[in-house]
């Protein structure tokens, strides 16, 4: 397996947290994304507050970051998981509350389906907390196999999402 992609790839990363100081966690994650090897932070959306989807608990703070990376998709995933662990992320059950969640949403226009990684993220088009901040930083982005991300926003109009001050 290659250790780096042939040329930089634009990747989209969803950030979320609803335990502890979520704002501080997302700011620290933004900084950590900018310090990853062979990776440059290109853009970060504003923060949004949203209700949990398919879960209970406190509201989440969410954002989306764009990075340009020479890491391959699996290396990027592992780097994101290492950042989560440094912030106390526990994976007790699906959709559990979390101190920090970093999801690899898109990796260029690639479609990846392996045991540990699915890109595009399989539910990204069903989540306002992904689409709204994604469109802030990449208004013309397309989701492979689904089309323009903006076309999916109307499908999630019933999900509460508020811009954070």
């Amino acid at each position: 397996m290659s250790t780096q992609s042939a040329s930089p790839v634009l990747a989209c990363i969803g950030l979320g947290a609803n335990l502890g100081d979520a704002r501080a966690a997302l700011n620290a994650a933004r900084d950590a994304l900018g310090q990853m090897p062979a990776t440059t932070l290109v853009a970060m959306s504003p923060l949004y507050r949203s209700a949990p989807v398919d879960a209970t608990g406190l509201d989440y703070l969410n954002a989306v970051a764009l990075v340009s990376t020479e890491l391959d998709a699996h290396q990027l995933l592992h780097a994101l998981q290492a950042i989560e662990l440094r912030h106390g992320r526990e994976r007790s059950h699906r959709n559990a509350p979390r101190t920090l969640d970093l999801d690899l949403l898109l990796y260029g226009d690639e479609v990846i389906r392996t045991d540990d990684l699915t890109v595009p993220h399989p539910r990204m088009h069903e989540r306002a907390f992904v689409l709204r901040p994604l469109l802030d930083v990449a208004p013309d982005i397309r989701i492979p196999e689904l089309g323009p991300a903006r076309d999916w926003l109307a499908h999630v109009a019933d999900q509460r999402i508020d811009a954070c001050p």
Side-chain angles (χ1 to χ4, degrees), residues 9-45:
V9 172
L10 189 64
C12 302
I13 299 161
L15 296 85
N18 75 334
L19 292 178
D21 187 342
R23 183 180 298 267
L26 295 186
N27 288 335
R30 176 199 59 219
D31 295 344
L33 292 173
Q35 296 170 4
M36 289 191 314
T39 302
T40 303
L41 179 64
V42 175
M44 178 84 168
S45 76

Side-chain angles (χ1 to χ4, degrees), residues 1 12 17 21 23 26 41 50 61-62 64 67-69 73 83 100 118 126 134-135 138 144 148 151 153 161:
M1 171 161 67
C12 302
D21 187 342
R23 183 180 298 267
L26 295 186
L41 179 64
S50 65
L61 289 187
N62 298 99
V64 168
V67 299
S68 175
T69 187
I83 295 169
L100 181 62
T118 302
E126 300 171 353
L134 174 64
L135 292 169
D151 290 355
L153 202 52
I161 182 168

